[in-house]
Each structure stands twice: as C-alpha cells, then as structure tokens.
Amino acid sequence: MSAFADRLFEAADRFGPLCVGIDPHEGRIPALFGGDTPEGVERWGLAMVEAVKGRAGVIKPQSAFFERHGWQGMRALTRILEAAREAGLVVLMDAKRGDIGSTAQGYVSAFLEAGAPFPCDALTINPYMGLDTIEPHVAAAEQYGKGVIVLARTSNPGSADFQSKSLEGAPLFERVVEALAPMVERLKGDCGWSGLMLVTGATGPEEARRLRELAPDALFLVPGYGAQGAGAAEALAGFRQQGNRLVGGVVSASRSVNFPAGSAEADTLDGWRIAVTEAIAAAQADLVAAAGT
Ligand SMILES: O=c1ccn([C@@H]2O[C@H](COP(=O)(O)O)[C@@H](O)[C@H]2O)c(=O)[nH]1
C-alpha cells in the first residue's frame, strides 16, 4: 500500500484542497432522509459520499455525531466508511483520541490497523498527554501506510487558553510541533510530504505560517474555513509555494457544505443533491482559485 502522505497529496492535487466534513449535527438531517435517527444519518451520510465523488478527494467524518446515536450510529459510520472506500476517497477520521500507550493501542485497533472496524486513512490525535501516547499511532501508521493528525493550533476561540501560553519562550503549540520532528520524518512519503499531519486552524493564519517554518514537510489539516468565518486566503496561509500553486495539505469544511442554503427545505433528493453539490463545487473552486493553478 502507498504511504498515506502520497495518497492525500495525490487526492488534493487531482481535485483541489477541499476536504468535505461529514458532520451529521443534531436536528439537521432533512426529513427527506428520515431525520435525525440512525437510519436517517446513514442515508444522509451515504448521499454525502455520492455528492463528494468527483468533486473532492478527501472526507473527514466527525465521530462525535455518530457516537451520539450509540451502536446504531456507529453502524451508520461503518457503512459510510465502506462507501467512501469504494468511492476511492481518502478518509480522515476526526475522533481526537489520545491516552496512555496501552490504551492508545486500543484506538489503533479500532481505527488504523488491518481489519479495524472503523477503517480510515488517518486519525486525529490530541497530543497533550505526551509523545508516548502518540507513538502507538505513529508505529501503526508506519506499518499500515496510514496517517496521524496531531492537533497543533486549533481553530476555536479557546485555542489561545493553553496552546498559545509561553513555554520556555515560545508558545506551547510550537513546542509540541518541535517535539514531533522525528515522527514527521518517519511518516514521509515518496512525495516528500509527511503523513504526520498538523491541525492548524484557518482562524490563525499567522500561527499557520509559523508552523510551516517549524515543520516544512508536514501536511496540514486546516479546519475553520466556511462556518467558522475564515476565507480561502487565510486557510492557505500555511501552505507552500510549489511552481504556481500553494500546496501542503487540505482545508476542511463541514456545516457550510453539509447544510447549505436550500438543502434543508428541499423536498426531493434531486433538490437536496443540487444544493449540496453546488456548495461543494463552490468551496472547491474558491480554494483552487486562491491556491493558484
Ligand atoms: O481545530 C479544529 C479541529 C477540528 N475541528 C473539527 O472540524 C469540523 C469543523 O466544522 P465546521 O462546520 O466546518 O465549522 C468539526 O468537525 C470540528 O470538530 C475544528 O473545527 N477545529
């Protein structure tokens, strides 16, 4: 199997930097699909995968919105992951795990290793319990050609509460990324980029530029574009110039493409599909234009 970094880079190269979030928020699944029930979430998620096909190469399901429906929600997630794999999409699972090494191994079994019940290409990890908690994920990523996505500077307003506090003269998030350097090296693909991805919010373009200096080869996952207010230029602040283009990761959008204007009121599947595919295509075009061709 090719390295995760190569698969992600190729997908972004082919379709553009948009990563479509799959975030079935409470109360927002249209009646058309059966509403906010496990079955409705499953039908809606499968329709989202269909809508992404050919318009973006990467999706990011948010585990929380499936977990809230218990085992039926996780069954829906499993079926959506299967459809995404059949569609050839790269799947970034947003579950923000992180625990002592022996427990981290459980998350590896759940998401990353061969035969995992929730198979994905990469998993988001909260690094604040230390490097030993990240290591099992990196070891599995090396073995199975997967990626590890570490929260560095998140997109929410509270990211400043701890991540920006000074530790020995530099913000904590910078210290975290400095410490990750050997892991970044270990997950490098043939493309030269690393599958040890960093989350850096589009809401903090200055911080993203700083992170690019500290980790020139790490692919970035950039949330905060769209519903959280950041635009394409801010989202691409941490990307690198390569020829005429900015490259270096993917920009995720969830609510803006999951629930665009016209989708909630649509009374036919075709009506819903038009609203959603137009929103996905518009976000992709916006990012591609800002990245250059
Ligand atoms: O710093 C972070 C890390 C993850 N997220 C996740 O991304 C999506 C954002 O959804 P929008 O609807 O596009 O705002 C969501 O799943 C978050 O949990 C983030 O926002 N910021």
PDB file of all heavy atoms in Angstrom, residues 181-219:
ATOM      1  N   ALA A 181       9.164  16.500  15.460  1.00  0.00           N
ATOM      2  CA  ALA A 181      10.028  16.444  14.268  1.00  0.00           C
ATOM      3  C   ALA A 181      10.449  15.013  13.880  1.00  0.00           C
ATOM      4  O   ALA A 181      10.360  14.640  12.697  1.00  0.00           O
ATOM      5  CB  ALA A 181      11.238  17.355  14.437  1.00  0.00           C
ATOM      6  N   PRO A 182      10.904  14.172  14.827  1.00  0.00           N
ATOM      7  CA  PRO A 182      11.307  12.811  14.418  1.00  0.00           C
ATOM      8  C   PRO A 182      10.129  12.008  13.842  1.00  0.00           C
ATOM      9  O   PRO A 182      10.312  11.205  12.921  1.00  0.00           O
ATOM     10  CB  PRO A 182      11.823  12.170  15.719  1.00  0.00           C
ATOM     11  CG  PRO A 182      12.128  13.319  16.626  1.00  0.00           C
ATOM     12  CD  PRO A 182      11.165  14.410  16.261  1.00  0.00           C
ATOM     13  N   MET A 183       8.926  12.225  14.377  1.00  0.00           N
ATOM     14  CA  MET A 183       7.747  11.496  13.863  1.00  0.00           C
ATOM     15  C   MET A 183       7.380  12.001  12.467  1.00  0.00           C
ATOM     16  O   MET A 183       6.932  11.228  11.611  1.00  0.00           O
ATOM     17  CB  MET A 183       6.567  11.641  14.823  1.00  0.00           C
ATOM     18  CG  MET A 183       6.783  10.904  16.140  1.00  0.00           C
ATOM     19  SD  MET A 183       5.440  11.216  17.305  1.00  0.00           S
ATOM     20  CE  MET A 183       5.833  10.033  18.601  1.00  0.00           C
ATOM     21  N   VAL A 184       7.566  13.296  12.242  1.00  0.00           N
ATOM     22  CA  VAL A 184       7.315  13.857  10.905  1.00  0.00           C
ATOM     23  C   VAL A 184       8.232  13.145   9.904  1.00  0.00           C
ATOM     24  O   VAL A 184       7.789  12.726   8.825  1.00  0.00           O
ATOM     25  CB  VAL A 184       7.569  15.387  10.892  1.00  0.00           C
ATOM     26  CG1 VAL A 184       7.542  15.934   9.471  1.00  0.00           C
ATOM     27  CG2 VAL A 184       6.529  16.111  11.759  1.00  0.00           C
ATOM     28  N   GLU A 185       9.485  12.958  10.271  1.00  0.00           N
ATOM     29  CA  GLU A 185      10.452  12.280   9.389  1.00  0.00           C
ATOM     30  C   GLU A 185      10.000  10.856   9.087  1.00  0.00           C
ATOM     31  O   GLU A 185      10.060  10.390   7.945  1.00  0.00           O
ATOM     32  CB  GLU A 185      11.818  12.194  10.082  1.00  0.00           C
ATOM     33  CG  GLU A 185      12.837  13.266   9.745  1.00  0.00           C
ATOM     34  CD  GLU A 185      12.855  13.718   8.307  1.00  0.00           C
ATOM     35  OE1 GLU A 185      13.228  12.948   7.381  1.00  0.00           O
ATOM     36  OE2 GLU A 185      12.491  14.881   8.097  1.00  0.00           O
ATOM     37  N   ARG A 186       9.551  10.151  10.138  1.00  0.00           N
ATOM     38  CA  ARG A 186       9.205   8.726   9.990  1.00  0.00           C
ATOM     39  C   ARG A 186       8.035   8.490   9.028  1.00  0.00           C
ATOM     40  O   ARG A 186       7.951   7.418   8.427  1.00  0.00           O
ATOM     41  CB  ARG A 186       8.856   8.133  11.364  1.00  0.00           C
ATOM     42  CG  ARG A 186      10.081   7.838  12.211  1.00  0.00           C
ATOM     43  CD  ARG A 186       9.698   7.606  13.658  1.00  0.00           C
ATOM     44  NE  ARG A 186       8.834   6.454  13.864  1.00  0.00           N
ATOM     45  CZ  ARG A 186       8.247   6.189  15.034  1.00  0.00           C
ATOM     46  NH1 ARG A 186       8.431   6.984  16.070  1.00  0.00           N
ATOM     47  NH2 ARG A 186       7.484   5.126  15.151  1.00  0.00           N
ATOM     48  N   LEU A 187       7.131   9.445   8.903  1.00  0.00           N
ATOM     49  CA  LEU A 187       5.943   9.211   8.071  1.00  0.00           C
ATOM     50  C   LEU A 187       6.033   9.900   6.705  1.00  0.00           C
ATOM     51  O   LEU A 187       5.009  10.112   6.045  1.00  0.00           O
ATOM     52  CB  LEU A 187       4.678   9.647   8.821  1.00  0.00           C
ATOM     53  CG  LEU A 187       4.339   8.839  10.082  1.00  0.00           C
ATOM     54  CD1 LEU A 187       2.938   9.179  10.579  1.00  0.00           C
ATOM     55  CD2 LEU A 187       4.442   7.335   9.852  1.00  0.00           C
ATOM     56  N   LYS A 188       7.256  10.196   6.281  1.00  0.00           N
ATOM     57  CA  LYS A 188       7.408  10.849   4.959  1.00  0.00           C
ATOM     58  C   LYS A 188       7.104   9.878   3.822  1.00  0.00           C
ATOM     59  O   LYS A 188       7.533   8.726   3.837  1.00  0.00           O
ATOM     60  CB  LYS A 188       8.831  11.374   4.808  1.00  0.00           C
ATOM     61  CG  LYS A 188       8.953  12.786   5.312  1.00  0.00           C
ATOM     62  CD  LYS A 188      10.107  13.511   4.700  1.00  0.00           C
ATOM     63  CE  LYS A 188      10.202  14.881   5.332  1.00  0.00           C
ATOM     64  NZ  LYS A 188      11.564  15.394   5.348  1.00  0.00           N
ATOM     65  N   GLY A 189       6.376  10.366   2.835  1.00  0.00           N
ATOM     66  CA  GLY A 189       6.080   9.564   1.644  1.00  0.00           C
ATOM     67  C   GLY A 189       7.044   9.886   0.524  1.00  0.00           C
ATOM     68  O   GLY A 189       7.918  10.748   0.667  1.00  0.00           O
ATOM     69  N   ASP A 190       6.855   9.214  -0.614  1.00  0.00           N
ATOM     70  CA  ASP A 190       7.714   9.465  -1.787  1.00  0.00           C
ATOM     71  C   ASP A 190       7.574  10.910  -2.272  1.00  0.00           C
ATOM     72  O   ASP A 190       8.482  11.456  -2.878  1.00  0.00           O
ATOM     73  CB  ASP A 190       7.339   8.531  -2.939  1.00  0.00           C
ATOM     74  CG  ASP A 190       7.673   7.080  -2.597  1.00  0.00           C
ATOM     75  OD1 ASP A 190       8.528   6.858  -1.704  1.00  0.00           O
ATOM     76  OD2 ASP A 190       7.070   6.177  -3.220  1.00  0.00           O
ATOM     77  N   CYS A 191       6.404  11.518  -2.034  1.00  0.00           N
ATOM     78  CA  CYS A 191       6.168  12.888  -2.490  1.00  0.00           C
ATOM     79  C   CYS A 191       6.980  13.906  -1.689  1.00  0.00           C
ATOM     80  O   CYS A 191       7.019  15.083  -2.029  1.00  0.00           O
ATOM     81  CB  CYS A 191       4.678  13.229  -2.398  1.00  0.00           C
ATOM     82  SG  CYS A 191       4.020  13.132  -0.716  1.00  0.00           S
ATOM     83  N   GLY A 192       7.601  13.459  -0.599  1.00  0.00           N
ATOM     84  CA  GLY A 192       8.407  14.364   0.222  1.00  0.00           C
ATOM     85  C   GLY A 192       7.633  14.962   1.384  1.00  0.00           C
ATOM     86  O   GLY A 192       8.207  15.530   2.308  1.00  0.00           O
ATOM     87  N   TRP A 193       6.302  14.824   1.355  1.00  0.00           N
ATOM     88  CA  TRP A 193       5.475  15.331   2.456  1.00  0.00           C
ATOM     89  C   TRP A 193       5.313  14.239   3.503  1.00  0.00           C
ATOM     90  O   TRP A 193       5.444  13.050   3.191  1.00  0.00           O
ATOM     91  CB  TRP A 193       4.104  15.758   1.936  1.00  0.00           C
ATOM     92  CG  TRP A 193       4.158  16.976   1.078  1.00  0.00           C
ATOM     93  CD1 TRP A 193       4.232  17.002  -0.291  1.00  0.00           C
ATOM     94  CD2 TRP A 193       4.165  18.341   1.508  1.00  0.00           C
ATOM     95  NE1 TRP A 193       4.275  18.300  -0.731  1.00  0.00           N
ATOM     96  CE2 TRP A 193       4.234  19.142   0.345  1.00  0.00           C
ATOM     97  CE3 TRP A 193       4.117  18.961   2.757  1.00  0.00           C
ATOM     98  CZ2 TRP A 193       4.256  20.537   0.397  1.00  0.00           C
ATOM     99  CZ3 TRP A 193       4.127  20.351   2.806  1.00  0.00           C
ATOM    100  CH2 TRP A 193       4.201  21.120   1.636  1.00  0.00           C
ATOM    101  N   SER A 194       4.970  14.675   4.709  1.00  0.00           N
ATOM    102  CA  SER A 194       4.797  13.706   5.794  1.00  0.00           C
ATOM    103  C   SER A 194       3.328  13.492   6.123  1.00  0.00           C
ATOM    104  O   SER A 194       2.531  14.436   6.178  1.00  0.00           O
ATOM    105  CB  SER A 194       5.512  14.190   7.054  1.00  0.00           C
ATOM    106  OG  SER A 194       5.235  13.300   8.119  1.00  0.00           O
ATOM    107  N   GLY A 195       3.007  12.236   6.414  1.00  0.00           N
ATOM    108  CA  GLY A 195       1.672  11.848   6.852  1.00  0.00           C
ATOM    109  C   GLY A 195       1.466  12.070   8.338  1.00  0.00           C
ATOM    110  O   GLY A 195       0.432  11.706   8.886  1.00  0.00           O
ATOM    111  N   LEU A 196       2.468  12.672   9.012  1.00  0.00           N
ATOM    112  CA  LEU A 196       2.232  13.180  10.365  1.00  0.00           C
ATOM    113  C   LEU A 196       1.684  14.582  10.115  1.00  0.00           C
ATOM    114  O   LEU A 196       2.434  15.547   9.921  1.00  0.00           O
ATOM    115  CB  LEU A 196       3.554  13.219  11.167  1.00  0.00           C
ATOM    116  CG  LEU A 196       3.530  13.497  12.665  1.00  0.00           C
ATOM    117  CD1 LEU A 196       2.929  14.836  13.009  1.00  0.00           C
ATOM    118  CD2 LEU A 196       2.825  12.409  13.436  1.00  0.00           C
ATOM    119  N   MET A 197       0.353  14.660  10.035  1.00  0.00           N
ATOM    120  CA  MET A 197      -0.281  15.944   9.704  1.00  0.00           C
ATOM    121  C   MET A 197      -0.437  16.792  10.958  1.00  0.00           C
ATOM    122  O   MET A 197      -0.532  16.271  12.072  1.00  0.00           O
ATOM    123  CB  MET A 197      -1.671  15.706   9.103  1.00  0.00           C
ATOM    124  CG  MET A 197      -1.675  15.024   7.765  1.00  0.00           C
ATOM    125  SD  MET A 197      -3.365  14.918   7.087  1.00  0.00           S
ATOM    126  CE  MET A 197      -3.596  16.555   6.384  1.00  0.00           C
ATOM    127  N   LEU A 198      -0.523  18.089  10.747  1.00  0.00           N
ATOM    128  CA  LEU A 198      -0.770  19.010  11.858  1.00  0.00           C
ATOM    129  C   LEU A 198      -2.088  19.720  11.629  1.00  0.00           C
ATOM    130  O   LEU A 198      -2.357  20.186  10.512  1.00  0.00           O
ATOM    131  CB  LEU A 198       0.349  20.055  11.939  1.00  0.00           C
ATOM    132  CG  LEU A 198       1.753  19.501  12.163  1.00  0.00           C
ATOM    133  CD1 LEU A 198       2.778  20.627  12.082  1.00  0.00           C
ATOM    134  CD2 LEU A 198       1.841  18.785  13.510  1.00  0.00           C
ATOM    135  N   VAL A 199      -2.901  19.811  12.679  1.00  0.00           N
ATOM    136  CA  VAL A 199      -4.120  20.624  12.606  1.00  0.00           C
ATOM    137  C   VAL A 199      -3.740  22.059  12.928  1.00  0.00           C
ATOM    138  O   VAL A 199      -3.172  22.340  13.984  1.00  0.00           O
ATOM    139  CB  VAL A 199      -5.188  20.139  13.617  1.00  0.00           C
ATOM    140  CG1 VAL A 199      -6.355  21.136  13.680  1.00  0.00           C
ATOM    141  CG2 VAL A 199      -5.696  18.766  13.236  1.00  0.00           C
ATOM    142  N   THR A 200      -4.017  22.953  11.996  1.00  0.00           N
ATOM    143  CA  THR A 200      -3.775  24.366  12.240  1.00  0.00           C
ATOM    144  C   THR A 200      -4.972  25.139  11.698  1.00  0.00           C
ATOM    145  O   THR A 200      -5.301  25.045  10.518  1.00  0.00           O
ATOM    146  CB  THR A 200      -2.411  24.813  11.647  1.00  0.00           C
ATOM    147  OG1 THR A 200      -2.302  26.222  11.783  1.00  0.00           O
ATOM    148  CG2 THR A 200      -2.200  24.397  10.205  1.00  0.00           C
ATOM    149  N   GLY A 201      -5.669  25.832  12.577  1.00  0.00           N
ATOM    150  CA  GLY A 201      -6.938  26.452  12.199  1.00  0.00           C
ATOM    151  C   GLY A 201      -6.778  27.594  11.212  1.00  0.00           C
ATOM    152  O   GLY A 201      -5.834  28.391  11.309  1.00  0.00           O
ATOM    153  N   ALA A 202      -7.746  27.670  10.278  1.00  0.00           N
ATOM    154  CA  ALA A 202      -7.758  28.769   9.308  1.00  0.00           C
ATOM    155  C   ALA A 202      -7.972  30.106  10.011  1.00  0.00           C
ATOM    156  O   ALA A 202      -7.681  31.164   9.449  1.00  0.00           O
ATOM    157  CB  ALA A 202      -8.873  28.536   8.292  1.00  0.00           C
ATOM    158  N   THR A 203      -8.461  30.050  11.249  1.00  0.00           N
ATOM    159  CA  THR A 203      -8.695  31.263  12.032  1.00  0.00           C
ATOM    160  C   THR A 203      -7.396  31.852  12.592  1.00  0.00           C
ATOM    161  O   THR A 203      -7.416  32.928  13.192  1.00  0.00           O
ATOM    162  CB  THR A 203      -9.642  30.927  13.208  1.00  0.00           C
ATOM    163  OG1 THR A 203      -9.129  29.733  13.839  1.00  0.00           O
ATOM    164  CG2 THR A 203     -11.046  30.649  12.717  1.00  0.00           C
ATOM    165  N   GLY A 204      -6.278  31.153  12.409  1.00  0.00           N
ATOM    166  CA  GLY A 204      -4.982  31.648  12.910  1.00  0.00           C
ATOM    167  C   GLY A 204      -3.922  31.610  11.823  1.00  0.00           C
ATOM    168  O   GLY A 204      -2.961  30.833  11.917  1.00  0.00           O
ATOM    169  N   PRO A 205      -4.054  32.458  10.794  1.00  0.00           N
ATOM    170  CA  PRO A 205      -3.100  32.392   9.672  1.00  0.00           C
ATOM    171  C   PRO A 205      -1.650  32.675  10.087  1.00  0.00           C
ATOM    172  O   PRO A 205      -0.721  32.051   9.549  1.00  0.00           O
ATOM    173  CB  PRO A 205      -3.626  33.446   8.685  1.00  0.00           C
ATOM    174  CG  PRO A 205      -4.628  34.253   9.414  1.00  0.00           C
ATOM    175  CD  PRO A 205      -5.136  33.442  10.548  1.00  0.00           C
ATOM    176  N   GLU A 206      -1.452  33.578  11.035  1.00  0.00           N
ATOM    177  CA  GLU A 206      -0.075  33.866  11.489  1.00  0.00           C
ATOM    178  C   GLU A 206       0.562  32.625  12.098  1.00  0.00           C
ATOM    179  O   GLU A 206       1.724  32.291  11.838  1.00  0.00           O
ATOM    180  CB  GLU A 206      -0.096  34.980  12.559  1.00  0.00           C
ATOM    181  CG  GLU A 206      -0.020  36.371  11.984  1.00  0.00           C
ATOM    182  CD  GLU A 206       1.068  36.525  10.914  1.00  0.00           C
ATOM    183  OE1 GLU A 206       2.195  36.087  11.170  1.00  0.00           O
ATOM    184  OE2 GLU A 206       0.765  37.030   9.826  1.00  0.00           O
ATOM    185  N   GLU A 207      -0.226  31.954  12.939  1.00  0.00           N
ATOM    186  CA  GLU A 207       0.264  30.741  13.600  1.00  0.00           C
ATOM    187  C   GLU A 207       0.549  29.648  12.559  1.00  0.00           C
ATOM    188  O   GLU A 207       1.511  28.895  12.686  1.00  0.00           O
ATOM    189  CB  GLU A 207      -0.760  30.228  14.620  1.00  0.00           C
ATOM    190  CG  GLU A 207      -0.883  31.096  15.862  1.00  0.00           C
ATOM    191  CD  GLU A 207      -1.881  32.244  15.700  1.00  0.00           C
ATOM    192  OE1 GLU A 207      -2.274  32.568  14.562  1.00  0.00           O
ATOM    193  OE2 GLU A 207      -2.259  32.810  16.734  1.00  0.00           O
ATOM    194  N   ALA A 208      -0.284  29.587  11.516  1.00  0.00           N
ATOM    195  CA  ALA A 208      -0.065  28.576  10.465  1.00  0.00           C
ATOM    196  C   ALA A 208       1.255  28.839   9.743  1.00  0.00           C
ATOM    197  O   ALA A 208       2.013  27.907   9.446  1.00  0.00           O
ATOM    198  CB  ALA A 208      -1.232  28.596   9.476  1.00  0.00           C
ATOM    199  N   ARG A 209       1.537  30.113   9.480  1.00  0.00           N
ATOM    200  CA  ARG A 209       2.814  30.443   8.808  1.00  0.00           C
ATOM    201  C   ARG A 209       3.989  30.033   9.689  1.00  0.00           C
ATOM    202  O   ARG A 209       4.997  29.507   9.232  1.00  0.00           O
ATOM    203  CB  ARG A 209       2.875  31.946   8.500  1.00  0.00           C
ATOM    204  CG  ARG A 209       2.094  32.313   7.241  1.00  0.00           C
ATOM    205  CD  ARG A 209       2.337  33.763   6.832  1.00  0.00           C
ATOM    206  NE  ARG A 209       1.371  34.663   7.432  1.00  0.00           N
ATOM    207  CZ  ARG A 209       0.176  34.956   6.912  1.00  0.00           C
ATOM    208  NH1 ARG A 209      -0.190  34.443   5.763  1.00  0.00           N
ATOM    209  NH2 ARG A 209      -0.648  35.769   7.523  1.00  0.00           N
ATOM    210  N   ARG A 210       3.855  30.260  10.993  1.00  0.00           N
ATOM    211  CA  ARG A 210       4.921  29.886  11.937  1.00  0.00           C
ATOM    212  C   ARG A 210       5.089  28.360  11.959  1.00  0.00           C
ATOM    213  O   ARG A 210       6.215  27.843  11.958  1.00  0.00           O
ATOM    214  CB  ARG A 210       4.554  30.431  13.331  1.00  0.00           C
ATOM    215  CG  ARG A 210       5.525  30.102  14.398  1.00  0.00           C
ATOM    216  CD  ARG A 210       6.842  30.854  14.240  1.00  0.00           C
ATOM    217  NE  ARG A 210       7.817  30.336  15.193  1.00  0.00           N
ATOM    218  CZ  ARG A 210       9.034  29.918  14.864  1.00  0.00           C
ATOM    219  NH1 ARG A 210       9.456  29.962  13.625  1.00  0.00           N
ATOM    220  NH2 ARG A 210       9.853  29.458  15.796  1.00  0.00           N
ATOM    221  N   LEU A 211       3.972  27.655  11.959  1.00  0.00           N
ATOM    222  CA  LEU A 211       4.053  26.184  11.971  1.00  0.00           C
ATOM    223  C   LEU A 211       4.717  25.670  10.697  1.00  0.00           C
ATOM    224  O   LEU A 211       5.455  24.683  10.734  1.00  0.00           O
ATOM    225  CB  LEU A 211       2.659  25.563  12.134  1.00  0.00           C
ATOM    226  CG  LEU A 211       2.084  25.658  13.547  1.00  0.00           C
ATOM    227  CD1 LEU A 211       0.694  25.054  13.613  1.00  0.00           C
ATOM    228  CD2 LEU A 211       3.003  24.953  14.542  1.00  0.00           C
ATOM    229  N   ARG A 212       4.467  26.343   9.580  1.00  0.00           N
ATOM    230  CA  ARG A 212       5.118  25.909   8.328  1.00  0.00           C
ATOM    231  C   ARG A 212       6.635  26.063   8.432  1.00  0.00           C
ATOM    232  O   ARG A 212       7.385  25.221   7.929  1.00  0.00           O
ATOM    233  CB  ARG A 212       4.540  26.695   7.149  1.00  0.00           C
ATOM    234  CG  ARG A 212       5.120  26.322   5.815  1.00  0.00           C
ATOM    235  CD  ARG A 212       5.084  24.810   5.552  1.00  0.00           C
ATOM    236  NE  ARG A 212       3.770  24.300   5.209  1.00  0.00           N
ATOM    237  CZ  ARG A 212       3.374  23.034   5.449  1.00  0.00           C
ATOM    238  NH1 ARG A 212       4.177  22.167   6.047  1.00  0.00           N
ATOM    239  NH2 ARG A 212       2.171  22.618   5.119  1.00  0.00           N
ATOM    240  N   GLU A 213       7.094  27.124   9.123  1.00  0.00           N
ATOM    241  CA  GLU A 213       8.549  27.279   9.314  1.00  0.00           C
ATOM    242  C   GLU A 213       9.106  26.140  10.158  1.00  0.00           C
ATOM    243  O   GLU A 213      10.178  25.606   9.894  1.00  0.00           O
ATOM    244  CB  GLU A 213       8.854  28.601  10.038  1.00  0.00           C
ATOM    245  CG  GLU A 213       8.697  29.830   9.180  1.00  0.00           C
ATOM    246  CD  GLU A 213       8.765  31.128   9.998  1.00  0.00           C
ATOM    247  OE1 GLU A 213       9.158  31.091  11.194  1.00  0.00           O
ATOM    248  OE2 GLU A 213       8.421  32.157   9.439  1.00  0.00           O
ATOM    249  N   LEU A 214       8.331  25.759  11.172  1.00  0.00           N
ATOM    250  CA  LEU A 214       8.816  24.715  12.099  1.00  0.00           C
ATOM    251  C   LEU A 214       8.706  23.312  11.498  1.00  0.00           C
ATOM    252  O   LEU A 214       9.480  22.425  11.858  1.00  0.00           O
ATOM    253  CB  LEU A 214       7.994  24.746  13.400  1.00  0.00           C
ATOM    254  CG  LEU A 214       8.186  25.963  14.293  1.00  0.00           C
ATOM    255  CD1 LEU A 214       7.195  25.927  15.444  1.00  0.00           C
ATOM    256  CD2 LEU A 214       9.617  26.021  14.831  1.00  0.00           C
ATOM    257  N   ALA A 215       7.734  23.103  10.646  1.00  0.00           N
ATOM    258  CA  ALA A 215       7.502  21.765  10.073  1.00  0.00           C
ATOM    259  C   ALA A 215       7.289  21.907   8.570  1.00  0.00           C
ATOM    260  O   ALA A 215       6.158  21.782   8.074  1.00  0.00           O
ATOM    261  CB  ALA A 215       6.296  21.107  10.741  1.00  0.00           C
ATOM    262  N   PRO A 216       8.360  22.179   7.813  1.00  0.00           N
ATOM    263  CA  PRO A 216       8.193  22.484   6.390  1.00  0.00           C
ATOM    264  C   PRO A 216       7.552  21.359   5.587  1.00  0.00           C
ATOM    265  O   PRO A 216       6.914  21.611   4.567  1.00  0.00           O
ATOM    266  CB  PRO A 216       9.618  22.760   5.900  1.00  0.00           C
ATOM    267  CG  PRO A 216      10.544  22.552   7.042  1.00  0.00           C
ATOM    268  CD  PRO A 216       9.754  22.274   8.276  1.00  0.00           C
ATOM    269  N   ASP A 217       7.699  20.101   6.047  1.00  0.00           N
ATOM    270  CA  ASP A 217       7.233  18.963   5.236  1.00  0.00           C
ATOM    271  C   ASP A 217       5.962  18.298   5.762  1.00  0.00           C
ATOM    272  O   ASP A 217       5.516  17.301   5.194  1.00  0.00           O
ATOM    273  CB  ASP A 217       8.344  17.899   5.162  1.00  0.00           C
ATOM    274  CG  ASP A 217       9.626  18.478   4.597  1.00  0.00           C
ATOM    275  OD1 ASP A 217       9.526  19.360   3.726  1.00  0.00           O
ATOM    276  OD2 ASP A 217      10.704  18.060   5.038  1.00  0.00           O
ATOM    277  N   ALA A 218       5.415  18.803   6.852  1.00  0.00           N
ATOM    278  CA  ALA A 218       4.202  18.167   7.398  1.00  0.00           C
ATOM    279  C   ALA A 218       2.981  18.652   6.615  1.00  0.00           C
ATOM    280  O   ALA A 218       2.821  19.854   6.374  1.00  0.00           O
ATOM    281  CB  ALA A 218       4.041  18.525   8.868  1.00  0.00           C
ATOM    282  N   LEU A 219       2.140  17.714   6.222  1.00  0.00           N
ATOM    283  CA  LEU A 219       0.869  18.108   5.606  1.00  0.00           C
ATOM    284  C   LEU A 219      -0.015  18.730   6.692  1.00  0.00           C
ATOM    285  O   LEU A 219       0.019  18.299   7.847  1.00  0.00           O
ATOM    286  CB  LEU A 219       0.189  16.890   4.992  1.00  0.00           C
ATOM    287  CG  LEU A 219       0.857  16.353   3.713  1.00  0.00           C
ATOM    288  CD1 LEU A 219       0.376  14.946   3.394  1.00  0.00           C
ATOM    289  CD2 LEU A 219       0.604  17.288   2.526  1.00  0.00           C
TER     290      LEU A 219
END
